[in-house]
Amino acid sequence: MSIGLFVFLFVTAVSIDSFGIGCVLGLKKVTIAKRAVLSIACLSGVVFLLSSYFGHLLIAYVSPEVAEKTGASALIFIGIFFLWQFFKKRKPQKEDDSWFKPAEVLNDPVAADVDHSGGIRGKEVFLLGIALSLDSIGAGVSGAMIGMPTLMTSLFITLATFLMLAGGIWSGRHLSEKVESISILPGVLLIIIGLIKLS
């Protein structure tokens, strides 16, 4: 499989959960400015870039074969975790919990609207950005180990996250609730990429 196709699948896997998050926000009529969407996308790209460089540091201490197998296995485990997060029963968030458990925002995106103002703004943008960047940490380290081009992938993740989040918000406002189910794809794609690299 060509590196271009791998990058495409990888970027899609890392960024497509933003589409599902955006759908929920759109369905609940929670507003978020385009500038805030861009900030969140940039944060995801930067987090991926930094974690990729950390992954490259780890490669210096292991053989290329071990690094690739480790990265592929990590992608599979991250994918399984995504699926578990998608299928597990969602619990209502307490107002103050979101600041200390940003990962829970992925299960209940509306929890990012901490002040219940009907919009994501100020510190809430950072909270949502951190939640959406959590998957970029493991993906960045794993991506470096399986040979993903770091800078190009980071730029594509930034662009894809912006488009996915903005598109998800629009879709949530105008389409049915079924579009939210696309959030299952990140886990599936990461597992597929990991299995291909292991084979």
Side-chain angles (χ1 to χ4, degrees):
M1 185 179 291
S2 69
I3 186 64
L5 183 55
F6 259 118
V7 170
F8 174 76
L9 290 175
F10 190 84
V11 169
T12 301
V14 173
S15 61
I16 201 169
D17 58 334
S18 300
F19 185 83
I21 297 295
C23 286
V24 175
L25 296 176
L27 286 167
K28 301 296 184 181
K29 308 301 181 186
V30 177
T31 61
I32 178 169
K34 285 291 191 296
R35 185 187 304 175
V37 174
L38 179 59
S39 298
I40 291 170
C42 289
L43 182 59
S44 291
V46 169
V47 169
F48 176 85
L49 187 65
L50 294 177
S51 60
S52 292
Y53 283 129
F54 179 73
H56 283 294
L57 292 177
L58 294 178
I59 292 175
Y61 298 96
V62 295
S63 68
E65 294 79 11
V66 172
E68 184 168 352
K69 298 297 183 184
T70 301
S73 299
L75 286 178
I76 293 173
F77 282 115
I78 294 171
I80 292 172
F81 175 75
F82 279 4
L83 294 180
W84 175 73
Q85 286 282 85
F86 180 82
F87 286 110
K88 80 173 185 176
K89 186 177 181 181
R90 296 179 180 180
K91 298 179 180 179
Q93 283 284 97
K94 295 180 181 179
E95 182 171 338
D96 295 332
D97 281 356
S98 300
W99 296 110
F100 303 104
K101 299 177 182 178
E104 294 298 327
V105 174
L106 296 177
N107 289 330
D108 183 16
V110 180
D113 182 19
V114 179
D115 60 6
H116 305 291
S117 64
I120 306 293
R121 56 179 63 88
K123 294 180 180 179
E124 296 170 342
V125 174
F126 182 72
L127 173 62
L128 184 57
I130 289 296
L132 286 173
S133 299
L134 291 176
D135 57 340
S136 296
I137 298 174
V141 176
S142 303
M145 289 185 167
I146 64 174
M148 288 291 176
T150 301
L151 184 58
M152 181 178 71
T153 305
S154 175
L155 292 173
F156 280 143
I157 285 175
T158 301
L159 176 61
T161 298
F162 176 82
L163 295 175
M164 291 286 187
L165 185 55
I169 293 170
W170 183 91
S171 299
R173 289 175 182 164
H174 298 88
L175 304 178
S176 71
E177 297 187 15
K178 292 181 180 179
V179 293
E180 182 189 350
S181 62
I182 201 171
S183 294
I184 196 175
L185 285 181
V188 174
L189 288 175
L190 287 176
I191 291 173
I192 291 174
I193 293 171
L195 289 174
I196 291 173
K197 278 295 184 179
L198 280 177
S199 62

